[in-house]
Amino acid sequence: MKLELSRVVQGGYRLGVLREIGRASTSSLEVPGCLLYTRCGTVPHLTQDTLHTLSPLPSVTQLTLSTVAEHQEVLEEYKDGFKKFAGLHDTVLYCSLHDPLTPRPAGHVTNKTVSVWGSGGRIELTVGRFMALQKALRPDLYQSMADGETWQGDATSRKRLRKSVDRTLAHLDECLLIHQQTAELQGAEVLGVVEGGDSLEERLRSARETAKRPVGGFCLDGFQTGSMDGPLRTQLISAVAVELPEDKPRLLQGVGRPDEVVACVEAGVDLFESFFPFQVTERGCALTFDLDLSLDPERAGITPSTPVLELELGEELDETWQPERGRDAELEDGAETMTPFEMDLKDTKYRGDFRPLVEGCGCYCCTNHQRAYLHHLLVTNELLAGVLLMLHNTAQYTAFFRALRAALANDQLELFKTRVLRIKRVV
C-alpha cells in the first residue's frame, strides 16, 4: 500500500492517491476520501445489485468487528474469509473494531481485554481472540485492538488517558507479532491506533510510538462527534499529524458531518468512515449539496436571501443553525439533530413538490422519482423510502468528496466552503 501525494499544504490538507491497496494490490483510493460503510458487510437498506447502480463507489468497504464477532465459529468453519462469505467480490475489505453508530457503554476494558457490542450483547475480546477473528475474516486491512475509552471529556483523568495509550501500544505489539506468524493474514495491512483523549501530551506520545511500529497506516480514535469541541479536535489532529510519517494514510473514526470533515481534512486527515448518509436516511432526510463550483453565485442558488453563516476565523459552525431548506428539531429516540445539509422530506411542504431531490443528481432516486413521492413513502412507512434515500444520500456523499478533492486541486477551498457548506469566514 503506497500513498502518493500530489499536493501537501504544510500543517494542512493532503491530496493524492492511495495505491496498491489490498492483497492483490490492484485497487486505489483518492484522498481525501471515504470508505463504504456497512453493517455485517451490507450497506444498510441496499442489496449489492441496488448499491452498484451507483458509480463510482469507494474501493474500500468497512466491516466492523462488533457486527460479526458473535459469528466467529461459523466463519472459522467456512474457512474462505468474509469477502467470499458475504459476496463482496470486487472490493478491498477493511475491518474496524467498533461500529461508529452503536453506543459503547464505558467501563468494560481491562489490561488484557476490550469489549464490543453486537446484536447479542457484549463480547469480550483478548488479543488472541481478536486475532483469531481477523484470521477467520481475512481482511485486506484492519485496525489493531485498542483501548478507546478516551471520549468522556473532563470525566477522563490524565492517569486513565496514559493507561489507554499504554494498553493500545501493548495490544499493537501483540497484534503485530501474531500477524507475522499467521499465514492467512500475509499481505494484509495493520493500522495502528492513536489514542490519548484530549491530552496533547498523550496524543503526541501515542502518535510517536505508533509510528515506530511497522504499520500500514493510522487510525485516529477518540475524536468522535460530540466527544470534544471542534477547535480542540482540529488542534489535536494537527499536532498529531506532524508526528506521523507523510507516506502513510490517516483514517479518522467517528466523524462524518461535512463541515467537520472539511475542518479535519484541513488538519491533515486522509480518510473517513461514511456512516453519515445512513444517519441522514434514518432521519427521513435527503442530502442537498450544491457541488458545481464553476457557476456564478446567482446561478448556483446563492442569492442575497440565501442563508450564509459568517464565522470569525477559527470559529466552528454552530450545529443549531439551519438554512431554510431544513428545520431545527430534535428527532425521536435521541437521534441527532438535522444538519444544514439536508431536507426533511416528512415536512408537509413536500407533499406537492414534484421536483427531484437535487437537480442534476444522477442517482436512481433523482432520475425516477420526486420529492412528493418520497414524502408519501415516508409518511406511510414504506420500506422503499429507506432504499431510495440511501441510494441518493450515498451518491451525494461520495460526490461531496469528489468535489472537495477538485476544490483542493484548484485552490478553491474557500469557495467550496462558501458554496457547499454555506460558510463565509471573516478574517
Side-chain angles (χ1 to χ4, degrees):
M1 187 166 67
K2 300 177 182 178
L3 180 58
E4 298 178 0
L5 296 173
S6 58
R7 190 167 204 175
V8 179
V9 172
Q10 186 66 32
Y13 70 80
R14 293 138 57 88
L15 185 68
V17 182
L18 188 59
R19 300 191 186 277
E20 299 181 18
I21 316 172
R23 296 167 189 262
S25 300
T26 57
S27 298
S28 61
L29 182 64
E30 292 184 279
V31 300
C34 64
L35 314 179
L36 185 65
Y37 171 74
T38 74
R39 287 189 164 181
C40 209
T42 300
V43 175
H45 296 295
L46 304 181
T47 65
Q48 284 293 310
D49 287 343
T50 308
L51 174 66
H52 283 91
T53 63
L54 301 176
S55 182
L57 286 168
S59 59
V60 180
T61 296
Q62 180 182 4
L63 172 71
T64 53
L65 203 63
S66 57
T67 62
V68 296
E70 58 198 298
H71 307 298
Q72 181 175 356
E73 292 182 3
V74 174
L75 292 165
E76 287 176 339
E77 184 177 348
Y78 182 67
K79 291 185 172 57
D80 287 328
F82 189 82
K83 276 201 286 189
K84 187 175 180 180
F85 182 74
L88 305 176
H89 302 296
D90 300 320
T91 189
V92 173
L93 188 65
Y94 163 69
C95 185
S96 61
L97 186 60
H98 301 286
D99 187 317
L101 298 183
T102 299
R104 283 186 275 154
H108 295 280
V109 294
T110 69
N111 286 335
K112 298 295 183 181
T113 67
V114 300
S115 292
V116 296
W117 274 260
S119 59
R122 184 169 74 96
I123 302 169
E124 193 171 46
L125 301 176
T126 61
V127 170
R129 184 173 181 187
F130 173 86
M131 292 303 293
L133 275 162
Q134 301 299 344
K135 177 181 176 180
L137 294 169
R138 300 190 188 183
D140 298 286
L141 308 94
Y142 64 95
Q143 73 160 96
S144 63
M145 198 171 92
D147 173 7
E149 286 194 9
T150 60
W151 38 260
Q152 299 158 295
D154 295 336
T156 307
S157 67
R158 302 299 100 175
K159 180 179 179 181
R160 179 66 184 88
L161 295 180
R162 286 195 299 273
K163 185 177 290 186
S164 165
V165 172
D166 291 339
R167 285 173 174 171
T168 298
L169 290 170
H171 294 334
L172 174 58
D173 289 337
E174 288 186 70
C175 287
L176 289 171
L177 181 61
I178 297 173
H179 176 93
Q180 295 165 1
Q181 299 171 349
T182 305
E184 290 83 356
L185 293 174
Q186 295 307 303
E189 297 274 6
V190 180
L191 303 189
V193 183
V194 177
E195 299 287 359
D198 59 1
S199 167
L200 176 60
E201 178 184 359
E202 291 304 319
R203 283 287 177 185
L204 295 178
R205 182 169 73 92
S206 180
R208 290 166 184 155
E209 291 300 320
T210 305
K212 294 176 182 178
R213 273 71 171 176
V215 296
F218 305 92
C219 289
L220 309 184
D221 190 27
F223 293 111
Q224 290 87 339
T225 296
S227 65
M228 63 176 64
D229 292 335
L232 176 59
R233 178 201 291 132
T234 53
Q235 176 188 353
L236 291 173
I237 291 175
S238 297
V240 164
V242 174
E243 303 298 328
L244 300 178
E246 194 174 86
D247 61 345
K248 293 182 179 180
R250 302 131 181 200
L251 167 64
L252 180 61
Q253 297 179 316
V255 174
R257 275 185 54 137
D259 51 318
E260 296 180 339
V261 164
V262 172
C264 293
V265 165
E266 290 184 276
V269 173
D270 301 315
L271 297 171
F272 298 83
E273 301 169 313
S274 59
F275 57 86
F276 186 68
F278 179 52
Q279 283 184 313
V280 175
T281 298
E282 293 299 279
R283 289 194 280 265
C285 296
L287 289 171
T288 57
F289 295 120
D290 175 8
L291 299 174
D292 190 349
L293 302 186
S294 64
L295 301 178
D296 62 71
E298 185 172 351
R299 288 179 59 200
I302 295 184
T303 65
S305 62
T306 303
V308 176
L309 185 63
E310 293 195 357
L311 300 180
E312 296 295 334
L313 189 63
E315 186 181 354
E316 289 295 309
L317 177 64
D318 180 358
E319 296 189 8
T320 64
W321 175 80
Q322 302 293 334
E324 292 178 353
R325 63 185 177 217
R327 60 180 173 83
D328 183 15
E330 289 298 330
L331 303 178
E332 295 179 358
D333 302 323
E336 288 192 3
T337 305
M338 274 181 58
T339 64
F341 318 106
E342 53 197 275
M343 66 170 73
D344 179 10
L345 288 160
K346 298 185 296 297
D347 195 310
T348 55
K349 70 180 180 181
Y350 296 111
R351 184 167 52 194
D353 191 337
F354 302 110
R355 293 174 293 172
L357 299 182
V358 174
E359 295 285 353
C361 178
C363 77
Y364 177 87
C365 180
C366 287
T367 54
N368 290 279
H369 300 294
Q370 307 82 34
R371 297 176 182 184
Y373 183 57
L374 269 295
H375 171 79
H376 162 73
L377 293 176
L378 286 165
V379 298
T380 55
N381 294 316
E382 290 288 345
L383 295 177
L384 182 57
V387 175
L388 294 177
L389 281 176
M390 193 64 187
L391 278 172
H392 170 79
N393 290 333
T394 301
Q396 282 281 294
Y397 200 62
T398 53
F400 164 81
F401 276 95
R402 290 197 298 274
L404 173 59
R405 290 192 295 270
L408 296 177
N410 296 314
D411 291 321
Q412 292 182 310
L413 182 58
E414 292 306 315
L415 175 62
F416 180 89
K417 289 191 286 189
T418 301
R419 185 74 53 81
V420 179
L421 302 183
R422 306 289 176 93
I423 299 174
K424 182 180 179 181
R425 294 191 181 274
V426 179
V427 181

